[in-house]
């Protein structure tokens, strides 16, 4: 007898749960469906590289122009080629923005106060003044700097074709980054 009542109660309970709508409660009141009141902003991700102070990945919620992206990346370095990009361009999600370097001319500060030459800022003529560096080697340094970005240490000069340990020893006290 007990078994029959337990089975009847279980069946009645299951039927009661089955007949309830997913949007109704047991007392018949409706549950409101969640509504998105305002659209969530979509992010636009942009990768910035090259002659900016803080290269990296940036996210923007709203429509943004290239000039604003450059400003977010810390603005241009003194030796950036500012004429190579359109500051008014509207960026799209997933863009890679590369600001090229302008290695023509000598930017301010290519010679340090102690007389050492800054290898990141000096042009070919200034680099050719270094001992053992002629016009061809100076061009190699500028080409390397243009292709790989600025030197992070003077030891990186040894990565330039034609500058080995011996030549570097002669240069290390005369250059800076």
């Amino acid at each position: 007898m007990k078994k029959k009542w337990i089975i009847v109660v279980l069946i009645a309970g299951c039927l009661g749960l089955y007949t309830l709508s997913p949007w109704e409660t047991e007392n018949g009141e409706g549950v409101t469906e969640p509504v998105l009141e305002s659209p969530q902003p979509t992010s636009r991700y942009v990768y910035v590289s090259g002659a900016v102070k803080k290269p990296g990945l940036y996210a923007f919620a709203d429509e943004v122009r290239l000039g604003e992206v450059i400003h977010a990346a810390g603005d241009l370095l003194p030796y950036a080629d500012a004429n190579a990009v359109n500051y008014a361009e509207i960026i799209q999600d997933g863009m890679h923005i590369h600001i090229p370097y302008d290695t023509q001319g000598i930017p301010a500060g290519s010679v340090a106060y102690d007389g050492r030459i800054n290898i990141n800022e000096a042009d070919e003529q200034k680099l050719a003044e270094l001992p053992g560096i002629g016009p061809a080697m100076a061009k190699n340094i500028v080409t390397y700097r243009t292709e790989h970005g600025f030197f992070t240490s003077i030891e990186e000069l040894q990565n330039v074709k034609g500058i080995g340990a011996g030549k570097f020893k002669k240069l290390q006290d005369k250059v800076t980054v």
Side-chain angles (χ1 to χ4, degrees), residues 79 105-123 125-130 145 173-177:
Y79 18 81
I106 305 172
S110 64
V111 178
Y113 293 112
D114 59 5
R116 295 183 296 165
I117 293 177
N118 187 323
I119 57 175
N120 283 329
E121 298 177 348
D123 67 355
Q125 291 83 12
K126 195 69 181 167
L127 290 168
E129 295 175 11
L130 291 166
R145 184 176 67 197
D173 295 332
K174 296 175 178 33
V175 295
T176 188
V177 289

Side-chain angles (χ1 to χ4, degrees), residues 19 36 53-54 91 98 140 146 160:
T19 60
L36 186 60
K53 292 179 184 171
K54 297 182 286 185
I91 64 142
H98 179 76
N140 287 350
T146 303
V160 176

